[in-house]
Amino acid sequence: MGKKDACGTSLPVDQYRKQIGKQDYKKTKSALKATRLKADAKKNSSGFRDAFLVIVAILFFVFCVYAFFYLNLSTEMNLDVDED
């Protein structure tokens, strides 16, 4: 007896989930498929973007080291030149 009374009232969260589920059924299958494909493409492309950013960061670091040594060596060479 108590079980029937408890099932009669559902939690607001369950009502909200049912409402969202009904809205999903209203969408066409092609729209749902397009959304799923877009989400999958976004997940897969993040790996390429991360790899690209790592490569760019390494190249930038190497360039900074190269520029530092180039500037230090070029100023030393200019000081050694005598105007006789």
Side-chain angles (χ1 to χ4, degrees), residues 42-57:
K42 189 176 181 182
K43 286 180 184 178
N44 292 337
S45 68
S46 67
F48 295 116
R49 185 182 56 191
D50 292 344
F52 177 73
L53 288 176
V54 167
I55 291 171
V56 168

Side-chain angles (χ1 to χ4, degrees), residues 3 19 59 67 71:
K3 192 172 187 179
Q19 182 183 10
L59 289 175
L71 292 174

Side-chain angles (χ1 to χ4, degrees), residues 7 26 44 46 54 79 83:
C7 289
K26 291 178 185 176
N44 292 337
S46 67
V54 167
L79 294 175
E83 295 181 16

